[in-house]
Amino acid sequence: MIDDLIYISKSAGEIIRNYFGKNISVEFKSDVKNLVTLADKESEKTIIDFIKKKYPSHGILAEESGQQGNDSDYLWVIDPLDGTSNFAHGLPIFSVSIGLQYKNEIVAGVVYDIMRDKIYYAEKGSGAYKEDVRISVSKKSKIEESFLVTGFPYNINENPENAFEKFIAMTKASRAVRRLGSAAIDFCYVAEGVFDGFWEVHLNPWDICAGKLLVEEAGGKVTDFFGNKIDIFNKTILASNGIIHQKMISILINN
Ligand code: IPD
Ligand code: CA
Ligand code: CA
């Protein structure tokens, strides 16, 4: 099935790439910060049509169209375009993210970094890969030398979970904190050791599913801010190389 995930992520990514930089319609979802475009919708339709044709009995949870079919052990969890704001403003950092669960456990995940044309994939128990090269998390142990990434939810004006305070504290404690705008790509960069850690206060299942498996299969750790195990329906997430995890937890819970 991993070949199918890779194939359909790349096909959807190609649709998005062809729209990039063109003047396509942008609509607001919850508010003016939260966008959706024709590219999100076409990408999602392409992915769902493929799954329905090849795996008609499987369940699907997709960002733009919600859940369909819930009596299967399989659940495809789809972010058809992660990084829509970047896409809509012409910043080439966005991805397609597809995870596959079997009996509520993530068994496969793929993130396609569209403009770099890089595919990241993992299967449960088989390691994480970028293209065909195995990847692993960093070995950085000093929080003051760590390179971190985060993101902010669309309801940031309400400062959920003290997102701003956490950002300030992490920025002071580390070498630097970045905000790329695609959670799926943030996970990939942790998995390949570019970033040593990634946290976010409010994510959705389609942001988490593929990325969580990628980081874990690359030897890293993914929990909530207290170090508890999470499933894809958890909102707060902390992903790291494992070594600096506890240090990040103490910053997150104290701010
Ligand atoms: C968003 C991106 C962003 C993160 C937001 C997500 P979207 O996803 O992953 O990096 O900070 O929380 O909602 O809306 O572009 O698919
Ligand atoms: Ca997303
Ligand atoms: Ca999206």
Side-chain angles (χ1 to χ4, degrees):
M1 275 167 135
I2 194 75
D3 292 337
D4 286 334
L5 271 107
I6 292 172
Y7 165 77
I8 197 59
S9 304
K10 285 190 165 184
S11 307
E14 200 174 325
I15 294 171
I16 296 166
R17 192 162 45 231
N18 287 334
Y19 277 126
F20 185 54
K22 305 210 170 104
N23 195 13
I24 60 168
S25 71
V26 176
E27 292 166 35
F28 303 148
K29 295 211 278 187
S30 50
D31 62 31
V32 66
K33 285 188 194 295
N34 194 355
L35 311 177
V36 63
T37 72
L38 196 59
D40 300 66
K41 292 176 189 171
E42 270 193 34
S43 168
E44 183 159 311
K45 185 174 182 318
T46 301
I47 297 164
I48 291 179
D49 286 351
F50 175 88
I51 297 166
K52 280 188 162 170
K53 200 165 167 204
K54 189 147 183 197
Y55 304 101
S57 63
H58 288 189
I60 293 171
L61 175 60
E63 179 174 9
E64 309 306 339
S65 54
Q67 177 135 16
Q68 41 187 305
N70 51 12
D71 44 10
S72 167
D73 284 337
Y74 287 98
L75 181 67
W76 295 71
V77 185
I78 302 162
D79 193 333
L81 202 183
D82 186 49
T84 299
S85 303
N86 287 350
F87 171 80
H89 288 270
L91 183 68
I93 303 173
F94 43 83
S95 58
V96 175
S97 174
I98 307 178
L100 178 63
Q101 293 211 128
Y102 178 69
K103 295 191 172 173
N104 297 319
E105 190 188 7
I106 311 166
V107 291
V110 169
V111 175
Y112 181 46
D113 184 331
I114 299 168
M115 299 310 284
R116 290 196 309 138
D117 189 21
K118 298 287 180 227
I119 194 97
Y120 294 79
Y121 62 94
E123 280 178 286
K124 181 87 188 157
S126 303
Y129 294 81
K130 173 186 179 184
E131 301 291 306
D132 285 329
V133 179
R134 193 151 182 178
I135 52 175
S136 51
V137 294
S138 76
K139 294 189 166 55
K140 189 71 48 86
S141 59
K142 292 187 177 152
I143 192 80
E144 60 274 22
E145 291 178 5
S146 64
F147 192 46
L148 308 176
V149 67
T150 190
F152 297 102
Y154 293 114
N155 61 344
I156 187 62
N157 291 2
E158 292 149 32
N159 192 16
E161 308 268 345
N162 288 343
F164 294 122
E165 289 76 4
K166 289 176 170 57
F167 179 76
I168 292 168
M170 283 290 195
T171 304
K172 287 181 177 170
S174 64
R175 177 165 287 154
V177 178
R178 298 289 179 255
R179 196 280 197 248
L180 299 185
S182 167
I185 292 179
D186 298 336
F187 278 112
C188 291
Y189 279 136
V190 173
E192 67 172 317
V194 172
F195 289 123
D196 308 301
F198 163 49
W199 82 96
E200 189 154 345
V201 302
H202 189 105
L203 284 179
N204 286 302
W206 41 85
D207 300 311
I208 296 173
C209 196
K212 178 176 187 284
L213 185 66
L214 274 157
V215 169
E216 289 172 344
E217 286 297 322
K221 200 165 178 177
V222 183
T223 68
D224 67 11
F225 291 170
F226 297 95
N228 300 313
K229 278 190 177 176
I230 56 160
D231 63 27
I232 59 171
F233 297 99
N234 256 88
K235 292 293 180 191
T236 58
I237 71 102
L238 168 61
S240 82
N241 65 5
I243 309 169
I244 60 165
H245 210 79
Q246 204 51 48
K247 287 175 186 154
M248 289 185 76
I249 286 175
S250 53
I251 296 168
L252 290 169
I253 58 180
N254 287 314
N255 287 279

